[in-house]
């Protein structure tokens, strides 16, 4: 199976959910986004997963989407104490 994406670099309308979204909540969608390839080393694998999550958030407008809390863990860092 092959997937193809069309990227519009200068769109006239916001490029969000411009496809059939009837199966957006299907567990297979998250499984595909979480698929790993054997040639990824550990650091590359983690970065790839993180970037897929961010891309999916932009494409769907779902800022809460996460795979096993990857983005949540990175963005939930303790803040420095204010003086």
């Amino acid at each position: 199976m092959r997937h193809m994406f069309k990227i519009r670099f200068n769109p006239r309308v916001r490029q969000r959910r411009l496809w059939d979204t009837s199966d957006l909540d299907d567990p297979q969608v998250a499984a595909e986004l979480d698929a790993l390839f054997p040639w990824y080393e550990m650091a590359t694998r983690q970065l790839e997963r993180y970037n897929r999550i961010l891309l999916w958030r932009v494409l769907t407008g779902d800022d809460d989407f996460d795979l096993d809390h990857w983005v949540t863990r990175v963005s939930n860092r303790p803040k420095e104490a204010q003086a």
Side-chain angles (χ1 to χ4, degrees):
M1 181 178 292
R2 186 170 89 171
H3 301 279
M4 186 179 300
F5 297 96
K6 182 176 183 179
I7 300 174
R8 297 175 188 236
F9 291 106
N10 193 14
R12 294 179 184 211
V13 297
R14 184 173 210 138
Q15 302 296 294
R16 183 174 287 164
R17 293 187 182 219
L18 296 178
W19 69 92
D20 178 13
T21 59
S22 61
D23 62 349
L24 209 55
D25 295 324
D26 187 332
Q28 187 61 31
V29 172
E32 287 293 326
L33 289 170
D34 203 24
L36 300 175
F37 301 103
W39 55 83
Y40 287 155
E41 60 186 342
M42 185 57 74
T44 305
R45 181 179 301 166
Q46 293 171 345
L47 182 60
E48 175 67 21
R49 183 178 281 158
Y50 182 81
N51 285 331
R52 285 183 196 172
I53 295 166
L54 295 182
L55 176 62
W56 193 248
R57 286 181 172 192
V58 169
L59 291 174
T60 62
D62 181 3
D63 293 333
D64 295 327
F65 178 81
D66 210 341
L67 296 169
D68 198 26
H69 306 290
W70 276 93
V71 174
T72 304
R73 285 185 244 168
V74 172
S75 62
N76 194 22
R77 301 279 187 214
K79 306 285 187 236
E80 291 190 30
Q82 299 294 325

